[in-house]
Amino acid sequence: MNFRVSIDIAPTAAEAAIRVSARIAEHISIAAMSPRPCRLGLATGSTPEPVYCDLAGRVARGELSMASVATFNLDEYVGLAKDHPQSYHTYMHRQLFDHVDIDLSQTHLPRGDAVDPEQEAKRYEQAIAAAGDMSCQLLGIGRNGHIGFNEPGSEPDSLTRVVQLTEDTIRANARFFDDIDDVPRQAITVGIGTILRSQHIILLATGESKASAVAAAIDGPVTKGHPASFLQTHPKVTFVLDRAAAGLLRD
Ligand code: PGA
């Protein structure tokens, strides 16, 4: 069954990020009053950086506490140790964890330097399921429609696993590394099936470079050629966009 996703178009990328931060903060505050702690799925990349900055500001001003939040990141590069400057562990500490009152023992990412990455992927999937899946999942989107590192061709029921990154993704992420040859070729990513078990999904996309991926995700057919299109099969998805990323949507 397909659902019409909710779309929230902000005038600027900065405003879109603030709206996502506000949605997450509200989710955390509501969950704090319920017996089940908030399980927040987190994304990396450039797009969510202002979201994390805004969440940190809310915590610093005493408007929000993340003390009872458990987080699970979408992915990590295979081969990078936690303390590698380009690991997503390092990213999360730099962008969010070091600036908020979160219990670090409740923050989770796959171990990129695990001796057996396949086994690590299975462990991570089990940890997510044991936590009760994500109550709120934040996503970005790749220019090729990937969510997490679920590249085109990913199955809708895929679980956490080791994946090969596409050349497009390697090129897009090379900007974070000194040399394109330093970009890992594999990652551990949660699956599309793992993502679709989340109660609520928020996808943030900003900038013209994401407009065609966003349009295909929302208005195109549901196809593994464009993994974000599987979000149309989830009942509670909100795309938060700036005007540029929304530029190719049908009216
Ligand atoms: P970006 O990455 O935010 O750096 O564009 C998004 C993604 O690839 O999911």
Side-chain angles (χ1 to χ4, degrees), residues 44-48 140-142 146 148 175-176 210:
T44 50
S46 305
T47 313
I141 185 171
H146 73 207
R175 66 189 194 277
F176 298 113
K210 300 293 174 69

Side-chain angles (χ1 to χ4, degrees), residues 21-106:
S21 170
R23 285 171 184 271
I24 292 172
E26 188 186 4
H27 176 81
I28 292 171
S29 300
I30 292 171
M33 292 183 292
S34 78
R36 201 82 189 277
C38 166
R39 288 93 59 211
L40 192 57
L42 298 177
T44 50
S46 305
T47 313
E49 288 180 7
V51 176
Y52 298 141
C53 183
D54 194 71
L55 283 170
R58 288 169 195 266
V59 172
R61 294 192 298 273
E63 299 163 11
L64 174 71
S65 171
M66 297 187 72
S68 63
V69 176
T71 65
F72 287 82
N73 267 77
L74 287 166
D75 41 29
E76 179 59 284
Y77 289 116
V78 167
L80 299 197
K82 275 182 171 183
D83 59 357
H84 187 284
Q86 262 68 48
S87 77
Y88 288 156
H89 277 87
T90 300
Y91 170 103
M92 286 312 306
H93 276 273
R94 203 185 311 129
Q95 298 297 331
L96 185 68
F97 298 159
D98 291 351
H99 313 291
V100 294
D101 59 345
I102 201 159
D103 174 356
L104 288 177
S105 73
Q106 295 304 310

Side-chain angles (χ1 to χ4, degrees), residues 101 173 203:
D101 59 345
N173 289 3
L203 187 148

Side-chain angles (χ1 to χ4, degrees), residues 105-156:
S105 73
Q106 295 304 310
T107 62
H108 308 271
L109 290 97
R111 286 293 301 253
D113 59 350
V115 179
D116 183 344
E118 303 282 354
Q119 197 51 42
E120 170 63 4
K122 285 201 183 76
R123 182 199 68 76
Y124 198 66
E125 178 70 32
Q126 282 162 7
I128 289 173
D133 296 320
M134 296 306 100
S135 51
C136 181
Q137 174 69 58
L138 174 63
L139 295 177
I141 185 171
R143 295 178 308 199
N144 63 1
H146 73 207
I147 46 176
F149 274 134
N150 293 282
E151 301 281 30
S154 299
E155 298 290 342

